């Protein structure tokens, strides 16, 4: 038994991959997740989600078995954190699963924020703001709006807990996922009873929470099928959050390295060995290894800003076309862009903020605005890194993944503006690969994570920062512009509220 099967419980896609003991990929499958959307509500069928995973596991395990005649020794889970599932006493869903994308609980956020001091919340949960993403706000919404469902609910599970339960029969989660619940004490590693009591939720309604990368149990008997390599000895590993599995899959397993994922959102992650509660209130979460934490600011308007601009103003061009045109041009000074199209973004957490192009001249064209967006996102990255440095975090290099990393121009801009080396990993399926590394180390195929990473993780490109003093001026204008607009943002928000 040496094959490792990893499952990434994605928001857009579910991914299942199989690797051998040397972490050579044998197959990878992907299925799209379907949602029911109604305004702020975003729900999905948990049984359908699991049935999809069930078929993918059997197919992937069979391909692995046919490839090398080995059974699956571990199934390792990773993926999203906050999606909430409500079960009755018989452990049957009593309501559609509520996605983390669901924003129905804004009023409950206001209520909880009025009761629980934000600094207290930050010191307990590691999260600087009460936002509708957090499951605790959905629980209170159910109590206020669907009391019949609330009273029928015997178990509150997060999505990964539910899949673990369906695989091995144990209701269990892991520390890293519960960092995003807003009812888990990340330093004491226990539930926060005060906020749960306020929301009418009992500790016994919640899963057992295990250290990340722990074994929860073995496959239930109904899963066993020797022909495809699923046996009574196949272990279920709780794994860790997808961002953290991605860190492992790209070699970021020690302090001083920044993982930057430039997808629709810009997420920035770095491992620290002590709980670092900063004045800048950088989100802090339980890490994937014992006694570790991860600083994880997330900027919702990261890659989305360029995607929005292309779709509305350059719809006839591909991203490659835009990049190639910008590379061919001589240097031009574009406008300065604040990438706050969705507000809130770390490290400022200003829900009133909005996107701004500043310094527009008649000589500017559509490509200059695209370049401005790339520079603005790079400045937002630098701003977060500066907050980390001010909090005592040492930064040696950045490992970049996601769609934005495919642009040499944009990646070089980030290197120049942040004055940091940026490396690109060979393996783009970082979360599944990181989960497989977790399984390989758990089984002793590699004695340590360092040895596994040294053996399996390679970088394919390295960007060195160039001396570009003009970018210092760009960043100075970027920060001064945001600071000068704080009162304007608030005034604009008040004006919009008056118009409702």
């Amino acid at each position: 038994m040496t094959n490792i099967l990893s499952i990434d419980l994605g928001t857009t896609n579910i991914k299942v991959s199989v690797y051998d003991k040397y972490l050579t990929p044998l197959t990878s499958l992907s299925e799209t997740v379907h949602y029911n959307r109604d305004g702020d509500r975003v729900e999905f069928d948990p049984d359908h989600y699991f049935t999809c995973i069930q078929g993918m596991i059997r197919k992937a395990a069979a391909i692995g078995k046919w490839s090398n005649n080995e059974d699956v020794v571990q199934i390792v889970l990773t993926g999203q954190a906050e999606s909430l599932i409500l079960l009755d006493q018989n452990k049957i869903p009593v309501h559609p699963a509520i996605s983390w994308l669901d924003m129905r609980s804004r009023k409950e956020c206001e209520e909880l924020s009025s009761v629980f001091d934000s600094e207290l919340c930050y010191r307990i949960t590691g999260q600087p703001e009460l936002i509708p993403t957090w499951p605790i706000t959905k629980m209170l919404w159910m109590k206020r709006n669907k009391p019949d469902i609330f009273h029928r609910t015997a178990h509150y599970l997060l999505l990964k807990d539910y899949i673990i339960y369906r695989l091995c029969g144990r209701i269990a989660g892991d520390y890293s996922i519960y960092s995003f619940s807003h009812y888990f004490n990340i330093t004491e590693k226990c539930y926060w009873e005060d906020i749960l009591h306020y929301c009418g939720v009992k500790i016994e309604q919640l899963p057992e929470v295990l250290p990340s990368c722990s074994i929860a149990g073995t496959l239930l008997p109904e899963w066993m099928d020797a022909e495809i390599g699923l046996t009574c000895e196949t272990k279920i590993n709780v794994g860790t959050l997808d961002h953290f599995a991605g860190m492992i899959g790209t070699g970021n397993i020690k302090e001083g390295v920044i993982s930057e994922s430039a997808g629709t959102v810009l997420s920035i992650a770095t491992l620290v060995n002590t709980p670092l509660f900063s004045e800048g209130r950088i989100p802090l979460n339980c890490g994937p290894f014992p006694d570790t934490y991860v600083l994880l600011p997330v900027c919702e308007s990261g890659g989305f800003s360029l995607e929005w601009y292309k779709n509305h103003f350059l719809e006839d061009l591909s991203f490659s076309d835009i990049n190639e045109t910008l590379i061919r041009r001589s240097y031009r000074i574009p406008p300065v862009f604040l990438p706050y199209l969705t507000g809130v973004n770390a490290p400022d957490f200003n829900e009133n903020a909005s996107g701004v192009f500043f310094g527009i001249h008649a000589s500017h064209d559509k490509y200059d605005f695209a370049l401005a967006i790339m520079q603005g996102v790079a400045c937002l990255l630098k701003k977060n890194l500066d907050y980390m440095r001010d909090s005592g975090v040492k930064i040696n290099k950045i490992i970049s993944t996601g769609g934005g990393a495919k642009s040499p121009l944009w990646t070089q801009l980030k290197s120049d503006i942040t004055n940091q080396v940026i490396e690109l990993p060979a393996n783009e399926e970082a979360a599944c690969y990181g989960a497989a590394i977790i399984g390989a180390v758990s089984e002793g195929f590699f004695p340590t994570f360092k040895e596994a990473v040294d053996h399996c993780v390679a970088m394919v490109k390295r960007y060195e920062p160039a001396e570009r003093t003009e970018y210092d001026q760009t960043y100075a204008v970027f920060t001064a512009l945001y600071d000068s607009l704080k009162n304007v943002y608030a005034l604009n928000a008040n004006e919009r509220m008056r118009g409702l």
Side-chain angles (χ1 to χ4, degrees), residues 102-222:
D102 188 291
M103 293 288 114
R104 73 181 70 186
S105 54
R106 289 188 174 91
K107 288 184 179 179
E108 286 68 32
C109 289
E110 294 176 4
E111 179 180 342
L112 290 170
S113 295
S114 71
V115 175
F116 296 94
D117 177 73
S118 63
E119 182 64 22
L120 173 67
C121 289
Y122 179 52
R123 293 286 170 173
I124 292 176
T125 70
Q127 304 301 334
E129 298 289 329
L130 260 162
I131 58 177
T133 301
W134 308 141
I136 192 67
T137 67
K138 313 296 181 37
M139 293 172 170
L140 184 57
W141 186 94
M142 296 299 292
K143 181 181 180 181
R144 297 280 185 262
N145 296 276
K146 292 191 175 182
D148 55 331
I149 299 296
F150 183 81
H151 291 301
R152 287 176 57 199
T153 301
H155 305 277
Y156 292 96
L157 277 63
L158 301 185
L159 177 58
K160 189 154 71 69
D161 313 341
Y162 181 66
I163 304 305
I164 291 168
Y165 164 68
R166 295 293 300 268
L167 291 173
C168 71
R170 184 178 183 182
I171 297 182
D174 86 276
Y175 293 165
S176 69
I177 293 292
Y178 273 84
S179 299
F180 297 85
S181 66
H182 216 279
Y183 49 85
F184 187 72
N185 187 318
I186 63 170
T187 56
E188 300 294 329
K189 307 295 189 296
C190 63
Y191 288 118
W192 183 13
E193 294 192 40
D194 289 348
I195 199 167
L196 288 166
H197 178 74
Y198 181 87
C199 295
V201 177
K202 301 174 183 177
I203 298 292
E204 53 265 32
Q205 292 177 282
L206 303 173
E208 176 184 6
V209 186
L210 307 174
S212 301
C213 310
S214 298
I215 302 299
T218 56
L219 271 178
L220 291 168
E222 66 250 32

Side-chain angles (χ1 to χ4, degrees), residues 122-432:
Y122 179 52
R123 293 286 170 173
I124 292 176
T125 70
Q127 304 301 334
E129 298 289 329
L130 260 162
I131 58 177
T133 301
W134 308 141
I136 192 67
T137 67
K138 313 296 181 37
M139 293 172 170
L140 184 57
W141 186 94
M142 296 299 292
K143 181 181 180 181
R144 297 280 185 262
N145 296 276
K146 292 191 175 182
D148 55 331
I149 299 296
F150 183 81
H151 291 301
R152 287 176 57 199
T153 301
H155 305 277
Y156 292 96
L157 277 63
L158 301 185
L159 177 58
K160 189 154 71 69
D161 313 341
Y162 181 66
I163 304 305
I164 291 168
Y165 164 68
R166 295 293 300 268
L167 291 173
C168 71
R170 184 178 183 182
I171 297 182
D174 86 276
Y175 293 165
S176 69
I177 293 292
Y178 273 84
S179 299
F180 297 85
S181 66
H182 216 279
Y183 49 85
F184 187 72
N185 187 318
I186 63 170
T187 56
E188 300 294 329
K189 307 295 189 296
C190 63
Y191 288 118
W192 183 13
E193 294 192 40
D194 289 348
I195 199 167
L196 288 166
H197 178 74
Y198 181 87
C199 295
V201 177
K202 301 174 183 177
I203 298 292
E204 53 265 32
Q205 292 177 282
L206 303 173
E208 176 184 6
V209 186
L210 307 174
S212 301
C213 310
S214 298
I215 302 299
T218 56
L219 271 178
L220 291 168
E222 66 250 32
W223 276 92
M224 295 173 197
D225 188 338
E227 290 187 5
I228 62 174
L230 298 176
T231 77
C232 61
E233 296 179 13
T234 299
K235 304 181 187 76
I236 308 304
N237 192 314
V238 299
T240 189
L241 183 75
D242 50 5
H243 285 295
F244 304 166
M247 291 170 69
I248 296 169
T250 58
N252 183 357
I253 58 171
K254 62 182 180 181
E255 289 187 307
V257 181
I258 301 291
S259 288
E260 180 248 355
S261 178
T264 301
V265 301
L266 171 66
S267 63
I268 308 159
T270 192
L271 196 74
V272 292
N273 291 324
T274 56
L276 185 59
F277 295 99
S278 63
E279 289 187 14
R281 293 164 67 91
I282 302 171
L284 181 70
N285 310 281
C286 295
F289 313 128
D291 302 318
T292 63
Y293 296 83
V294 174
L295 295 172
L296 184 67
V298 174
C299 310
E300 291 85 351
S301 295
F304 171 75
S305 298
L306 188 60
E307 183 180 349
W308 161 82
Y309 180 71
K310 176 200 168 305
N311 290 343
H312 287 84
F313 303 102
L314 297 173
E315 62 269 25
D316 295 330
L317 297 174
S318 67
F319 287 113
S320 295
D321 294 334
I322 297 169
N323 276 278
E324 289 171 8
T325 299
L326 290 173
I327 289 170
R328 287 196 304 267
R329 302 175 108 187
S330 58
Y331 177 73
R332 296 159 61 97
I333 299 176
V336 173
F337 176 65
L338 299 186
Y340 292 89
L341 296 185
T342 58
V344 180
N345 289 289
D348 302 300
F349 301 105
N350 185 348
E351 65 180 358
N352 297 325
S354 58
V356 173
F357 285 104
F358 173 78
I360 302 171
H361 298 287
S363 60
H364 287 136
D365 62 17
K366 58 188 178 183
Y367 293 101
D368 289 315
F369 285 88
L371 181 60
I373 290 172
M374 292 181 181
Q375 290 188 2
V377 174
C379 286
L380 187 58
L381 172 61
K382 175 175 169 55
K383 192 172 188 180
N384 278 277
L385 296 184
D386 287 348
Y387 267 65
M388 288 183 175
R389 284 195 194 88
D390 292 344
S391 301
V393 175
K394 184 179 179 181
I395 301 173
N396 297 322
K397 68 175 180 180
I398 298 171
I399 298 174
S400 186
T401 59
K406 296 177 181 177
S407 167
L409 171 66
W410 202 355
T411 307
Q412 187 63 58
L413 275 172
K414 290 175 183 175
S415 178
D416 295 344
I417 288 175
T418 63
N419 195 34
Q420 291 293 328
V421 170
I422 296 181
E423 293 182 344
L424 307 186
N427 195 318
E428 295 184 358
E429 291 295 341
C432 276

